[in-house]
Amino acid sequence: MDYLILVDKFNTVPPDYADKTEFCQVQGILMEKQAGDQLKKMIDSALGQGISIKVISGYRSPDYQQLLWERSISCEMWGGLSYDEAVKKVGRTLALPGSSEHNTGLAADLGTESADDVEDNFHRTPQGRWLSRYAAEYGFILRYPRLKEQITGIDFEPWHYRYVGTEAAKIINGSGICFEEFLHFYSDKYISSMKIL
Ligand SMILES: [Zn+2]
């Protein structure tokens, strides 16, 4: 398993990815096995400090992503947009099948205890604050930070945490770079020899 896999609109998940991947469940939600185990540890540790974190979304199969995509497109077209306009609009908030980090099982959308959906102000909640301080110790990074939108191509998402392993997470968190910058700066000298947990 490559925990430093880059998945975005230009780099899609290989078609046989799910067949080669082991999964587990966290709060009834599917995650890649090691990412899920670390997520569980992180959530337990937060709970030990009185912070209750809810897993809102984890692994999504490409088929499910396709369903979400088609549903959103037809909804917009029903509302009067042309197909091209609908694709443009939906593409701003929803990834195409295979191009979402959720298709890897390495990303989780996290929320407060009572949340039904992701929260725009999550970073201001005790849960969001706890995660920004401790997530790297468990190998997770805030994948789409503020002021990095031009590089990641995704708006600030305070709820979306991505497992990259503790070593990479500590470098990324400690130096204030985003994942794309990490891959750029460290790809030659570090990544091939990096031991991931
Ligand atoms: Zn997400």
Side-chain angles (χ1 to χ4, degrees):
M1 168 59 61
D2 175 13
Y3 292 105
L4 297 174
I5 185 173
L6 175 66
V7 174
D8 56 22
K9 62 175 101 159
F10 308 111
N11 301 279
T12 54
V13 174
D16 60 349
Y17 179 88
D19 299 332
K20 291 181 173 171
T21 302
E22 204 183 337
F23 292 94
C24 71
Q25 286 194 16
V26 185
Q27 296 180 5
I29 285 171
L30 276 185
M31 290 288 293
E32 185 277 335
K33 177 81 171 65
Q34 184 170 306
D37 287 346
Q38 290 293 102
L39 179 61
K40 255 183 246 170
K41 271 191 215 168
M42 182 164 80
I43 288 173
D44 286 350
S45 168
L47 200 57
Q49 295 174 41
I51 308 277
S52 179
I53 295 169
K54 182 174 177 183
V55 184
I56 294 168
S57 182
Y59 174 72
R60 292 177 206 147
S61 71
D63 284 351
Y64 182 65
Q65 192 80 22
Q66 180 80 35
L67 188 78
L68 287 180
W69 176 264
E70 283 167 10
R71 212 183 268 168
S72 305
I73 295 289
S74 48
C75 184
E76 293 298 341
M77 289 175 72
W78 194 251
L81 295 188
S82 71
Y83 177 74
D84 287 348
E85 287 166 342
V87 166
K88 213 171 164 190
K89 183 172 178 194
V90 172
R92 282 206 292 268
T93 51
L94 191 69
L96 275 163
S99 62
S100 164
E101 282 204 333
H102 287 283
N103 300 145
T104 65
L106 300 174
D109 292 340
L110 303 174
T112 57
E113 202 172 2
S114 55
D116 294 322
D117 202 349
V118 296
E119 302 146 291
D120 287 335
N121 66 346
F122 183 60
H123 54 300
R124 296 202 185 94
T125 66
Q127 286 83 349
R129 288 209 177 101
W130 190 93
L131 285 165
S132 67
R133 186 161 175 196
Y134 295 110
E137 292 180 20
Y138 300 87
F140 283 87
I141 55 163
L142 181 70
R143 178 66 179 88
Y144 305 115
R146 246 189 307 220
L147 305 176
K148 300 289 182 183
E149 295 92 341
Q150 297 285 354
I151 303 173
T152 63
I154 307 271
D155 286 350
F156 174 47
E157 290 195 351
W159 57 82
H160 182 106
Y161 277 82
R162 156 73 194 270
Y163 184 71
V164 293
T166 51
E167 245 178 298
K170 283 175 187 171
I171 292 171
I172 292 166
N173 207 39
S175 53
I177 55 176
C178 66
F179 187 54
E180 281 81 0
E181 290 171 308
F182 171 79
L183 294 177
H184 177 72
F185 294 136
Y186 291 88
S187 58
D188 298 339
K189 52 185 176 185
Y190 200 51
I191 286 174
S192 56
S193 62
M194 187 184 286
K195 199 178 139 282
I196 304 294
L197 177 66

